[in-house]
Amino acid sequence: MHYRALVEKSAAELATAIGVRVKHERQQRRWTLDQLAEGTGVSRRMLVNIEQGAANPSVGTLLRISGALGVGLPDLVEPPRSKPMKVIRRGKGAVL
């Protein structure tokens, strides 16, 4: 795979992850898109695009969103990580 294709794939994955996080935080607060738009000064259309992973928001936009949601910017933009897996042999695990 070419470098450019890898960068584009990585950017798309990050945009999707940011969108999922923004939507999750908004829904946890039971806010509508309109309420988040009002609190951030970011248009509803842009918020929809961000939540769908279809936009590449600026750092300023992400700061306004994170500020309105009361979460740190790193919480919104941290790349997704797979959870570590621990393998335990049969009979070696905790007894319940």
Side-chain angles (χ1 to χ4, degrees):
M1 189 178 274
H2 295 325
Y3 175 75
R4 182 179 173 114
L6 286 173
V7 169
E8 288 176 7
K9 180 181 178 193
S10 178
E13 289 172 355
L14 183 58
T16 299
I18 290 170
V20 167
R21 288 187 189 117
V22 169
K23 186 173 185 174
H24 173 75
E25 293 293 335
R26 177 180 61 79
Q27 288 178 335
Q28 271 197 316
R29 288 158 183 75
R30 297 181 183 204
W31 289 357
T32 64
L33 283 164
D34 291 326
Q35 288 171 312
L36 184 57
E38 184 177 318
T40 60
V42 176
S43 73
R44 185 179 190 282
R45 170 58 33 213
M46 176 58 101
L47 291 170
V48 168
N49 288 338
I50 291 169
E51 287 188 359
Q52 292 176 348
N56 185 9
S58 69
V59 173
T61 298
L62 291 172
L63 282 169
R64 289 190 286 184
I65 294 170
S66 68
L69 293 171
V71 298
L73 181 61
D75 293 331
L76 292 183
V77 299
E78 185 175 354
R81 289 189 242 164
S82 58
K83 294 182 181 180
M85 182 183 299
K86 184 175 181 181
V87 177
I88 301 174
R89 296 204 181 271
R90 185 178 3 184
K92 302 290 184 183
V95 178
L96 301 176

